[in-house]
Amino acid sequence: MSGSVRARRPASPPPGLPHAVPPSQRFPHQRHDHLDADERREAASRGYVPGRKSHSSGGLNIAPGEWKLLALIVLVACAVRFFRLSQPNSIVFDEVHFGKFASKYIKSQYFVDVHPPLAKLLITLAGFVSGYDGNFDFKDIAKVYEHVPYVAMRMVPAILGVATVPISYLTLRGLDCRATTALLASLFITFENGMITQSRHILLDSPLIFFTALTVFLWTGFCNEDKHEPFTETWWAWLVLSGLSLGAVVSCKWVGLFTIATIGFSTIRQLWLLLGDLRVSPRLFIKHFLARALCLIAIPVVFYMFMFWIHFLILQNPGDGDGFMSSEFQHTLNGRGMADTFADVAIGSEVSIRHVNTQGGYLHSHPHNYPAGSNQQQITLYPHRDDNNVWRILNATHDEVITDIDWNAHPLQYITPGMRVKLTHIQTNKALHSHDVRPPISDVDFQNEVSGYGMPNFAGDINDDWIVEIEKGDRRDRESSKRVRTLRTQFRLRHAVTSCYLFSHKVKLPDWAWEQQEVTCNKQAEKLNSLWYVETAVHPKLPPDAPKVNYKLPSFVSKFLELQQVMWTTNAGLTDRHTFDSRPDAWPRLRRGINFWVKDHRQIYLIGNPMVWWLSTAAVFAYVAVRGILFLRAKRGFRDFENTKVVKYDTLCGFLFVGWGLHYFPFYIMQRQLFLHHYFPALYFAILLSCGVFDLVTSTLRPRVRLQIAAILLFIVVLNYVYLSPLVYGNPWTKAKCQKAKWLKTWDFSCNDFYDNYSQYDHIAQAAVPVTTQPAAATIGGEPGGRGAVVVEDNVPPPKHAAAESADTSVAFGQAEPGYDAFSGVPHEELKSSHSAVAPPAFIEEKEISSVLAQQPTAAPDTSSEGMLAPEVAAPLAAEAGLADRVAEILGDLKEQEQVGAAELEHTQGAPLEDEAEADRARNELFPGAEVER
């Protein structure tokens, strides 16, 4: 080629892209698959898109061999989570609540829970399909299941727990991690003791973790599709599925809102980058924005509301939860509807009066008196309809006795503001009364007792008088603000003498008032708690065609919003302490767990796998430290973020760190009751983050070395899992091994509850044998010509080595206790793990050993110390009653019993003391090693 001829230079690519290499004869077509992640994204934004044949949906470039490996991992996860799923065959921890909710779904009885319904509906579906009739009460932890397909119901969380394992693998592969890294993450989750324990019972956290993991996986696939080519069918599929999964996760628990926040931050970052890309037109940007708004906001909201539509569709009968809803809501339930009632309220009307604020209880009285104070008739707030809710309104300005009045002969006198009235209880003829006496519960100076006072043919006194103050009326009814109208007027009743207001609040009276709500007269009454309205009104003078009113039935949206408010208010009010609650600062350190179940010298205790837990926490701190160093280096002019490898792992680990933080830090501002299992969604992100750090650290190593390091980590994880597995499955364990497993002093599972050796568990079946209610007894003596007959009753409680004879056991650090259900009405202190718990050790020494009852006394009682358990009593007792092991234990502890003075014995000697030598010989034959302290 001559020097005067210049060859044409190839066209330059868009700015920022690498220069194209001229095609060779061997590879005539240029490919873009060699670009790294950043270059592929840059190329996609400029229109350089690789062919469809070179792209895998969602960025999942998985080899066929990986699918086989993934199937093997799933089998391992099934073995781990399904092992002995039928054990224990009794209630574990919060199965008390969620099993009970399944029963209520099947019976269509309305209830209220602080959690959305999806996970509970899935569990109920499994029970219903398996033939459960909803008649089991789920009352106490460790209560044995009867006619309950509890295994099928436990399968729902177990299956979702298994499904989380392959999802974690696919998520890391979608995030461009190596197969070894994804394998390590899936096995970490497989052998994480806490997640295993939570997924084996009728609980909600396993569905929550599953849908959290599914959301992250689907969003990862969408992001990969978005980098490749937007607005394709596959792109829309990943985006729509991401929105549905967001709706599912928030429909299990409100913790799913943190998952929505995680995806929301990632979405905002995407839109921000698109907004700064000048090659993206405003019209295209709006298209991207609307697509994400539709799929990530509208679809989750519709899905969430649809779950509550199913919830309302099933729960159509009254239940113990309808008292928490408004009167309008309650009237949508079967049998709770009300006939139209007269709109006008006048002197002489028979009315039922409801409280406005505290779930609308009725002003109520019954023929029972207060046990203290005035000892007059009780006035309470009652949540259900009853004849004892009916009162008659009388004019308090009349001094004469008002009985048997012909109201048809009197003109109607409506109730207007400032009118002075009396309220007479129809059933007991007592007047609503208040005086300067303190209430039984709210015993403070500004509260007065409200009682029922009076008798037939008695006009009452001035303390029966109340002044009506109308607070507000209904805008649809102008008259309701001028006079009291049924259902339309809210009013207050001020006491004529003390100027206090009729008042009620969420304080329950004791058992003597059937735990009904307290009603007082409050001088400093909060307005909302002193507002009342008339629900029904009847007057004989009103014609049948007089104006009538009724509740306006709420729409689905109104019911939905009301229930959300009740759930939010109650959830925020769960501030009571629990025996095994914990605070967020203790979770990453695995400081303590939760006692789930105790019975038959076995225990289920929620504790994580220490290796997985602490490694994930270390990864979080490592990311923060490295990211801080990179930030400081960038300030000093270093160009680390121009390195493709740094950008890749910063994006990957940054996304997982944000997910961890958004699922963890919000708990610090919550004052409600919290447990270790609230950390599990954050733990999932932390586990993926730890594996992302592993992928970075081992990125320069040979694959074989990387696999060896992963194998070592996995070996330690499996070792931890096996060592603590008795607490996962409730398997037999020994005290010695339990003590060795307490790596932290704050791990408060009870080692004293286990046997000393495994051989003692062979006799555990004896615990199922019912114990006779008659005390075991032996007759000593009575031989012809010999000593008199003496009956020895065995009143000895089981000694410490024979605890297997009790079906229920307790732990030294507190019994298994379910989380508090604010809507159950049952104090959580009553929901313990056993009815016949073993007494604390401090009181065992104070047991009565036995009583000896003489049938034919021939000698004076022996009160000397030698007579506490004479040999002639011990040997025949062992021989005739078959209690040799028990008596031997008592004899061995005799000296200790004497020192503490705890044992008491009433011993009537039925044989001469000269027979003592004979009894000694018999004792030595039965108990060669036993000695009696003289």
Side-chain angles (χ1 to χ4, degrees), residues 801-817:
H801 78 283
E805 295 183 9
S806 173
D808 297 332
T809 58
S810 62
V811 294
F813 295 96
Q815 296 173 326
E817 179 181 336

Side-chain angles (χ1 to χ4, degrees), residues 15 73 226 298 340 374 408 428 445 580 637 646 689 735 766 904:
I73 296 172
D226 189 56
D340 293 345
S374 67
N408 288 311
T428 62
D445 291 339
F580 290 93
V646 172
L689 178 59
K735 294 179 181 178
Q766 299 176 1
E904 296 181 2

